[in-house]
Amino acid sequence: PLTAAREIAAGRAGRNYNPFLLCGRSGTGKSQLLRSMAATLAAVRGKGNVIHAGAARFCAENQAMARQPELLWERYQVLILDDIQDLAGETAWQSKLIACMDACPRPHAADAPAPQMVFACSGKPQALKVLDERLRSRLESGLVVELMEPDLDVRLRYLQLCCKERGLRLTRDQLLFLAQRCTQFRLLQGLLLKVEAFATVKGRALTRTDLENIVRTGLVDKTPDCREILNEVALALNLDPEETLAGRRRPDLVLARQVAMYVCRRKLGLSYPELGRAFGGKDHSTVIHAIKKINKLLVSNKSVQQLVTKVEAKLP
């Protein structure tokens, strides 16, 4: 999604990605990405050539363009609409947008800038089924991509950037603790705002206990711990969690521990020594070997693929 957005914003995509539809759960950064695209396109094509609005507001306010959609493209080169799902049930508005899309011209010269349509929809691409079939078919005729929830590394780098901008001093371990508690950018923003306010009031460096108290009072995601993940793996393999953690070398028990370590690394972002301590005092080299092995099995072993998918699907 990000690569396609950059290509479009820089004008390198031509008409290949027109329309460009961005889908994703709330909080995955769709609106922020649209704003970045709008700013870049405005810098490249001129601010007056870009219209950026919510889909419902655009359809409600641009009556003249709806009646004569060619007027839209005489005035603008880029149409960026957010929250396209808000048009569900509004037949007249959907018809107006269809007319505007059908009127989008092709550039006369090969080197001329192509008009561009960019839309965002909350939810998975399947959420488009709430729209009229005519509009849905036009949206799906372009490039449809889905923004996934940011992984732990992205969330950590996001927090580091926010702290740098705000002059907020937190250690990497503290930032990692916060990043593990939220999977959405909006929740991270709110959580960091609370941390900043608390630090301002206290006038001192925050402790781990401070952060735990702040997180406890906020609406953040429930993050599983290593034991919960191990329990899920053992349950999927019909094993006793206690026996799995005991360290016996039976092949099914070893596989369960290795899968649990792999999932814990992905979900919690723990270091290898931290994972070793969580799994009965294992050496960090044992953890590294386990994760490398599961990475290889995920390529070649379908049952391991299914096991990891099943376990991760049950976790919050």
Side-chain angles (χ1 to χ4, degrees), residues 124-144:
K124 292 183 174 293
Q126 293 86 337
L128 294 174
K129 65 183 180 181
V130 301
L131 300 175
D132 183 275
E133 185 179 354
R134 295 179 303 147
L135 177 56
R136 188 169 70 247
S137 65
R138 285 163 174 79
L139 293 170
E140 292 174 342
S141 68
L143 178 64
V144 180

Side-chain angles (χ1 to χ4, degrees), residues 29-193:
K30 299 184 302 301
S31 296
Q32 180 63 42
L33 186 52
L34 288 193
R35 284 193 291 270
S36 297
M37 291 183 71
T40 303
L41 284 162
V44 172
R45 303 199 187 196
K47 187 175 181 180
N49 292 319
V50 177
I51 184 168
H52 175 208
R57 179 177 178 181
F58 170 79
C59 292
E61 295 182 353
N62 293 276
Q63 300 297 329
M65 291 181 185
R67 289 191 296 270
Q68 293 180 282
E70 63 275 6
L71 295 177
L72 171 68
W73 301 109
E74 289 177 6
R75 181 175 176 183
Y76 299 101
Q77 295 180 16
V78 179
L79 175 64
I80 301 178
L81 299 182
D82 201 357
D83 293 320
I84 199 76
Q85 77 281 350
D86 289 348
L87 301 184
E90 300 289 347
T91 303
W93 286 359
Q94 292 188 53
S95 296
K96 292 172 184 176
L97 183 54
I98 289 170
C100 291
M101 295 179 71
D102 289 346
C104 183
R106 290 177 176 272
H108 297 296
D111 57 347
Q116 181 66 52
M117 296 178 288
V118 179
F119 306 105
C121 174
S122 182
K124 292 183 174 293
Q126 293 86 337
L128 294 174
K129 65 183 180 181
V130 301
L131 300 175
D132 183 275
E133 185 179 354
R134 295 179 303 147
L135 177 56
R136 188 169 70 247
S137 65
R138 285 163 174 79
L139 293 170
E140 292 174 342
S141 68
L143 178 64
V144 180
V145 298
E146 183 179 359
L147 265 183
M148 308 304 291
E149 288 186 340
D151 62 23
L152 184 65
D153 181 58
V154 172
R155 300 198 301 273
L156 181 60
R157 286 189 284 124
Y158 175 76
L159 287 175
Q160 289 170 335
L161 179 61
C162 290
C163 286
K164 184 178 180 181
E165 291 176 345
R166 300 180 184 193
L168 185 61
R169 295 186 177 181
L170 295 177
T171 67
R172 187 183 185 282
D173 286 344
Q174 289 175 324
L175 291 174
L176 183 60
F177 175 80
L178 297 177
Q180 290 171 348
R181 267 61 192 174
C182 298
T183 59
Q184 297 183 16
F185 286 125
R186 288 196 186 112
L187 289 177
L188 283 174
Q189 289 173 352
L191 183 56
L192 196 59
L193 188 63

Side-chain angles (χ1 to χ4, degrees), residues 228-238 255-256 259-260 263 307 311:
E228 289 179 76
I229 291 175
L230 177 65
N231 289 346
E232 289 292 346
V233 174
L235 179 63
L237 293 174
N238 295 317
L255 177 64
V259 169
V263 176
L307 173 61
V311 171

Side-chain angles (χ1 to χ4, degrees), residues 296-308:
K296 290 181 180 179
L297 289 176
L298 285 172
V299 176
S300 59
N301 191 310
K302 191 172 182 179
S303 63
V304 173
Q305 294 172 6
Q306 293 172 339
L307 173 61
V308 171

